[in-house]
Amino acid sequence: MKEEQLPSFNHRHTDNNKKTRLVFRLLNSPAVYVILLLLSYALGYLSAPSSRSPPQPLPSPEILKVGDNLNTQLDNFRVKTHCAKPLPPQLVHQTILDRVFNSTSPYDNFPPAYVSGLLREKKFKGWGSYGEVFEHLIQKVKPKVIIEVGTFLGASALHMAELTRKLGLDSQILCIDDFRGWPGFRDRFGYVNMINSDVLLLYQFMQNVIHKNATGSVLPMPFSSGSALEKLCEWGVFGDLIEIDAGHDFNSAWADINRAYRILRPGGIIFGHDYFTAADNRGVRRAVNLFAQMNGLKIHTDGQHWVIDSP
C-alpha cells in the first residue's frame, strides 16, 4: 500500500516545486515591478482627499474669558509703574516747558520762516469736538488740569479752552499727539502740507492755538500717547479731566485708558469719543467696557462720548 502511494506523493512534490519556481520567476520579472508600482500610485491617488473639498477650519484661538479670574488673566497687560506725587496744578505749565521745551515757550518766534507760507490762519477739523459733554463735564469738575490724548488740529482742545475761559477757570490743557496723522490721511485732508515727509499738523495746530489766543493755556506734547502718559506719571502731572481720543483699535484704546487712569486726580473724570463707532472692530467700546468691568466703574454715554467717573 505504501509503495503504491509513494509515486503519487513524489508527483505532487514535483508539481509544487515547479509552481514555486514559477512564482519566483514572476516576482523577479521587471514587468511585475512596473505593475506593482502603478497599482501603488493608483491606490495613493484614490485615497488622497479631493482638492475640491472645502478646507477644514482651524481651531479658534483661545480668547480671554471674562469671569471671576479676569484680573488674574490681565495681570500681564497692566501698567504697574508707580507715579510720582502729584504736582500742584499751578506748577504744571512751567514743568512742561522745562521738561519738554527747554524752558522756552514753543510759541516764541512762531512760525518758522520755512513754513510760514504753508499754514492757514486757522483750520479747525474735529470729530464730536463741540458736543454738550464738554461743557457739562467742565462745569461739573471745574478742572485745573485737562489732558487730551489725541488732538489732530486742536478743535476739541480749543473748544475746552473757550469753555474754561467763560467759566473763569485758570485751566492748563495738555495736548498729547505725535501730530503725524496716519498713512494716507492727506488723501482726505489735502490742505495739510508736507515738507520733506514732515506733515505740518503740529505747526497748523499751533497756528490755531495762536489764532484763538490760547497760548497761555494750551500746550502740545508732540509724542506718542504711551511715552507722553508715562512721563506725566513720572513727573507727577495729574489731570482733573482726561479725554481719550487717539487710536481706536482695542490695543491702543486699552493702553491709553489704563495709562491715563493712573494720573487721574481723585474726583476727576476720564472720557472719550466714538463709543458707538463700528470702526476697528468696535475697539473703543470693548476697551472701555472691559476697563470699567475690571475696576467696578460705571459707564455713561450720550450717543457719541463715553464717560467714566473716578471711584
Side-chain angles (χ1 to χ4, degrees), residues 207-226:
Q207 179 62 41
N208 292 339
V209 174
I210 291 173
H211 177 80
K212 288 290 187 178
N213 194 29
T215 58
S217 59
V218 178
L219 280 176
M221 290 194 66
F223 309 101
S224 67
S225 57

Side-chain angles (χ1 to χ4, degrees), residues 158-212:
L158 292 171
H159 178 56
M160 288 189 284
E162 289 183 355
L163 291 172
T164 57
R165 189 181 303 167
K166 288 179 181 179
L167 292 174
L169 301 175
D170 184 16
S171 302
Q172 179 65 56
I173 302 175
L174 305 180
C175 296
I176 298 173
D177 199 308
D178 61 8
F179 295 99
R180 298 293 304 166
W182 56 90
F185 89 96
R186 292 184 69 250
D187 296 336
R188 184 176 176 185
F189 306 102
Y191 52 78
V192 178
N193 286 298
M194 176 185 289
I195 296 180
N196 296 339
S197 81
D198 180 18
V199 292
L200 302 184
L201 275 174
L202 174 60
Y203 289 140
Q204 187 60 61
F205 161 80
M206 294 174 65
Q207 179 62 41
N208 292 339
V209 174
I210 291 173
H211 177 80
K212 288 290 187 178

Side-chain angles (χ1 to χ4, degrees), residues 80-150:
K80 300 179 180 180
T81 306
H82 293 290
C83 297
K85 183 179 178 181
L87 282 175
Q90 62 269 22
L91 298 182
V92 168
H93 183 87
Q94 190 60 47
T95 296
I96 299 303
L97 291 184
D98 294 342
R99 297 280 191 170
V100 178
F101 299 108
N102 197 27
S103 302
T104 303
S105 172
Y107 302 105
D108 289 351
N109 302 315
F110 184 87
Y114 73 97
V115 299
S116 60
L118 300 175
L119 302 177
R120 300 193 178 195
E121 180 184 1
K122 61 177 180 177
K123 186 61 182 180
F124 301 103
K125 173 62 181 177
W127 296 267
S129 300
Y130 304 99
E132 294 180 359
V133 65
F134 292 99
E135 185 171 5
H136 171 73
L137 294 179
I138 288 174
Q139 288 179 341
K140 179 179 179 179
V141 178
K142 294 179 175 55
K144 295 180 179 179
V145 177
I146 299 174
I147 298 172
E148 180 180 66
V149 183

Side-chain angles (χ1 to χ4, degrees), residues 246-254 279-284 286-287:
H248 287 27
D249 61 282
F250 173 83
N251 289 333
S252 297
W254 171 259
D280 295 304
N281 195 24
R282 294 178 171 82
V284 171
R286 292 189 292 121

